Structures are given as C-alpha cells and as structure tokens.
Amino acid sequence: MEINRKTEFVLGIIGGIVGIVAAISVMRFVSPMEYVSVDKLGFVALLFSIFGMIGASITKKNHLLGGTIMISAALSGMMLSITLANIISTVLFAIAGLMAVIRGGNFKLLLKKWWFYAVLVAQIIIPIIMIIPSPSYSNGPTFESHVSKVENTSPTDSQYDEAETTEMTPDEGTTTTTDKDEGTGTKSNPTPLNSTFMYSGAMSDLDTSEYFEASLDITVVETIRGEEALNLIKTKNKSTSPPPEGTEYILNKIKVKASNIIFPENEFRITNYDFNYLSGDGTAYNSDYIVIPDALEATLYDGDVNEGYIHSIINKDDDAPLIKFRQFYFKTK
C-alpha cells in the first residue's frame, strides 16, 4: 500500500517558503555576527531553503532521499538560526524529513546509501565554511593611519590629502610609522592641535553592520575650557550645574571627513561619545552626561565633512589634557 506523502510535502514546502523569507530579511537588514557578511548568511539560508523544498518535492518518488535532504536542510538551519522565521523553517524541515524517513519503514537502508553521507556532510561543512571570519577580520580590523601637520592654522580640505602612512592593529594597540615624525598620534607623541590625523581601515555600516573600507580624517580645531566653556554650555541648557570644586568643563571642536568609500550607500557614524579625555599624566577622566551645543553627531557618507563639540570635566590644574579616539591621541593645546 502506497503511503500518502502529502503531509511531508506540505510541511517541506512551507518550511522552504519561510526560510526564503528569512534569507531575504537577513540580507536586507542585519547580521548577528559582525565579522560575517550578511550577504553570505542570507545566501546560505536561501540555498538550504531551496534545497529543502527540492527534498519535499521528491519525497513521493524517493522518501528516503527526500527526507534526508530535508533533515540536512534542518541541520544547516540550526547552524544559521539568525531569525525567528529561520527557526520556524528549521523545525518544519526537521519534522517533514523525519516523517519521510521513518514512515513506511526501511529507514535502515539509509546507512547503505552513499548519498546519505554525502548530503549530510555537505550541508554541515558548507555553512561552517561560509561563516568562518575572513582573514582580514580574524584579529579585528587593521587600520592604516595617515598624519599631516599644520602649524597654527585650521586645516583646509586640500590638507587632508597630504598624508604619510601609519599602520595599526587595534587589538594590539600599537603603531608603526613610516614618516619622519615617528610616533605622531601615539600617547607619547599625540597629534597636535589644528593638525590632521587620517587613517584608513574597516568601518561598520550604520544600517547593516557590515564592514567596509574607508578613510577618516580627524582634526581638533578648537579648545574652550573653564568659565567660557560653562557659559557656552548654558546657551544650550541653562540649568547646567557648575562642575565640582577644583574641576572645570572643557569643550573641543572636532572636524571629521570621510573618504575612499567605494560604495556610495555605505555610511558610518561618529559622535562625541566616541572620544574620551585623559589627564596629562595619562589618567582617564569620567565625564557625566550633559547637553552641549553643537555636539558632534555625524553620519558620514563618502566625501562628507562634519564638525561638532565633544566635552568632559577635567582638573583645573591639568594644563595639557589629551583626547583619545580608539587607540589614537590628540593634544588640546
């Protein structure tokens, strides 16, 4: 008596459709693993969803092969459980595949079929290979930094192109300079006020969290501190309290410029909270949240230039506090 395989077919087709929806959504929106391209994750999920639907379609002719394919798609889905829809697809494939294999008996024959092992191995190895981080991100993004000095003047756009190269690996926190001004941008030799620090490396896209290559110029163009800084802050928020005794507010205007972004749709964000202050002896300052005028809040596409203030509360007797951005340091005077 021939067994009706309609249930397995319907569950497998529904699982495939749901999996395709999950694949499209992950390609359009977000990756749960920063080092993995959303295109890769989406493509793998799409591939296995289609493969699972093929298994459902041949279940009536060969229930062992069709069931094996759907079980394999479910195993792959378990490794790529990136959305709720993907999880649902995985469960449907697993139920349909097990039903196809078990119903009607003879499932022990699978152990004698070479394609049983080939299908299982392929659909386990493929997603593992696809989600392995690429070498460029296995140790974190690698930055190439460029430094240009400008004496006593604010930088112009043309000065952003006068760069020498410094290479840096963020995880190690070290730099290797190739210009004559060795160490510029380091803690021992910070980038001077009104001088441009430029580096090229991996940025994270604001919308997709994908990494892409870009260059960023950073220039500290102005320092305001003490009573003048407090008065300027009060133009934005009159209720701002004076800092604790022995300390004072400091504001620094930062100019940023993005360049060398290949794809025009890529963007990244930089704000005043990406910067920290250190005392002249290297001790980090802890700043309370306050509302400041023209705070640095920049979403940058290729060629965009923006500027805004960052702030902190520092010791009054600290004559030369430093600004820190990631592993790079800047003078405030």
Side-chain angles (χ1 to χ4, degrees):
M1 177 178 168
E2 186 177 354
I3 298 176
N4 189 334
R5 300 290 179 180
K6 185 175 181 179
T7 302
E8 294 94 316
F9 173 76
V10 172
L11 290 176
I13 294 299
I14 294 175
I17 293 173
V18 174
I20 291 173
V21 172
I24 294 174
S25 67
V26 78
M27 283 191 287
R28 286 180 58 84
F29 297 108
V30 66
S31 166
M33 293 169 281
E34 287 187 338
Y35 54 78
V36 182
S37 167
V38 290
D39 292 333
K40 283 187 178 181
L41 288 173
F43 176 76
V44 173
L46 182 64
L47 177 65
F48 291 132
S49 297
I50 295 174
F51 203 54
M53 293 178 71
I54 293 173
S57 300
I58 65 174
T59 298
K60 186 174 181 180
K61 292 183 179 181
N62 190 331
H63 68 97
L64 293 179
L65 178 57
T68 299
I69 292 175
M70 287 190 287
I71 291 172
S72 299
L75 291 174
S76 302
M78 290 174 62
M79 302 175 68
L80 298 170
S81 296
I82 45 185
T83 65
L84 177 60
N86 182 261
I87 295 173
I88 293 173
S89 174
T90 298
V91 172
L92 291 174
F93 277 141
I95 293 173
L98 290 172
M99 287 180 63
V101 169
I102 295 173
R103 289 177 70 203
N106 298 324
F107 60 86
K108 291 184 179 180
L109 293 175
L110 284 174
L111 301 179
K112 299 180 180 179
K113 302 293 186 180
W114 65 267
W115 45 257
F116 171 73
Y117 300 100
V119 170
L120 289 180
V121 171
Q123 295 213 70
I124 292 175
I125 291 179
I126 291 175
I128 291 177
I129 294 175
M130 295 295 285
I131 65 176
I132 290 175
S134 59
S136 60
Y137 298 114
S138 59
N139 293 318
T142 300
F143 296 92
E144 294 181 351
S145 306
H146 309 267
V147 181
S148 173
K149 276 197 172 185
V150 184
E151 296 183 359
N152 300 322
T153 59
S154 297
T156 64
D157 288 344
S158 62
Q159 291 166 334
Y160 282 105
D161 299 323
E162 300 172 3
E164 301 294 342
T165 302
T166 302
E167 292 187 359
M168 172 184 173
T169 302
D171 291 346
E172 298 175 353
T174 61
T175 59
T176 303
T177 57
T178 58
D179 59 2
K180 295 181 180 179
D181 188 18
E182 184 173 356
T184 300
T186 64
K187 188 175 181 179
S188 60
N189 190 7
T191 301
L193 186 69
N194 286 326
S195 298
T196 300
F197 185 89
M198 174 183 171
Y199 71 86
S200 299
M203 302 293 185
S204 180
D205 189 277
L206 183 63
D207 294 327
T208 66
S209 298
E210 285 191 280
Y211 281 117
F212 61 92
E213 293 297 314
S215 297
L216 177 65
D217 296 358
I218 304 174
T219 309
V220 181
V221 298
E222 182 183 13
T223 297
I224 304 173
R225 54 186 295 177
E227 194 69 24
E228 183 181 359
L230 176 59
N231 292 335
L232 183 58
I233 293 170
K234 284 188 173 182
T235 63
K236 182 70 175 181
N237 183 6
K238 294 182 180 180
S239 62
T240 301
S241 302
E245 186 176 353
T247 65
E248 63 184 12
Y249 288 111
I250 184 171
L251 296 171
N252 285 99
K253 181 173 286 188
I254 307 294
K255 182 177 182 179
V256 292
K257 178 183 179 181
S259 60
N260 298 324
I261 300 176
I262 297 176
F263 299 106
E265 66 271 15
N266 285 138
E267 59 181 337
F268 65 93
R269 186 167 179 79
I270 182 170
T271 75
N272 54 324
Y273 298 108
D274 291 314
F275 295 84
N276 298 298
Y277 282 82
L278 288 78
S279 65
D281 60 9
T283 304
Y285 284 113
N286 295 319
S287 300
D288 295 332
Y289 170 78
I290 61 172
V291 178
I292 63 174
D294 300 323
L296 180 63
E297 298 281 346
T299 299
L300 301 175
Y301 291 88
D302 187 50
D304 283 353
V305 179
N306 206 318
E307 63 180 23
Y309 284 106
I310 63 173
H311 78 282
S312 186
I313 297 175
I314 62 173
N315 296 328
K316 284 186 176 180
D317 59 0
D318 190 349
D319 185 54
L322 300 176
I323 297 171
K324 182 180 180 183
F325 175 77
R326 298 187 182 183
Q327 287 76 25
F328 309 112
Y329 297 83
F330 301 81
K331 293 180 179 180
T332 58
K333 64 174 293 184

